[in-house]
């Protein structure tokens, strides 16, 4: 396996988003495909850490869609 990032327990949700999900959103609008996979021990906080990220990604996606060049994206 190749890991893009490895984050410790002190990282903020903002940092997690900036390092992991935000680049994936940009990839979507550059004719790419993306997925985000969170791996870790049971009880390590994946759900707590990852749960706000789809909301943030949705907001960023709508911002991208507001650009004129993406007006016809459905």
């Amino acid at each position: 396996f190749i890991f893009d990032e490895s984050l410790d327990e002190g990282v903020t949700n903002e940092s997690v988003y900036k390092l992991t999900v935000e680049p994936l959103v940009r990839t979507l609008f550059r004719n790419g495909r993306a997925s985000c996979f969170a791996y870790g021990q049971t009880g390590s906080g994946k759900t707590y850490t990852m749960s706000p990220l789809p909301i943030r990604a949705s907001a960023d996606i709508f911002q991208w869609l507001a650009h004129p060049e993406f007006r016809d994206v459905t």
Side-chain angles (χ1 to χ4, degrees):
F1 293 101
I2 297 173
F3 297 95
D4 295 328
E5 298 292 338
S6 176
L7 309 170
D8 66 22
E9 69 276 358
V11 70
T12 65
N13 287 77
E14 178 68 19
S15 294
V16 172
Y17 184 80
K18 291 283 187 187
L19 291 169
T20 60
V21 180
E22 188 176 59
L24 298 177
V25 172
R26 284 193 305 264
T27 296
L28 295 174
F29 287 90
R30 295 185 177 135
N31 294 324
R33 295 182 181 159
S35 63
C36 182
F37 179 79
Y39 177 82
Q41 182 177 2
T42 300
S44 63
K46 294 177 302 296
T47 300
Y48 174 80
T49 301
M50 298 302 287
S51 61
L53 304 186
I55 296 166
R56 176 77 186 273
S58 298
D60 283 353
I61 288 168
F62 281 112
Q63 286 181 354
W64 277 89
L65 289 172
H67 295 175
E69 64 267 30
F70 301 116
R71 187 174 314 148
D72 295 329
V73 173
T74 57

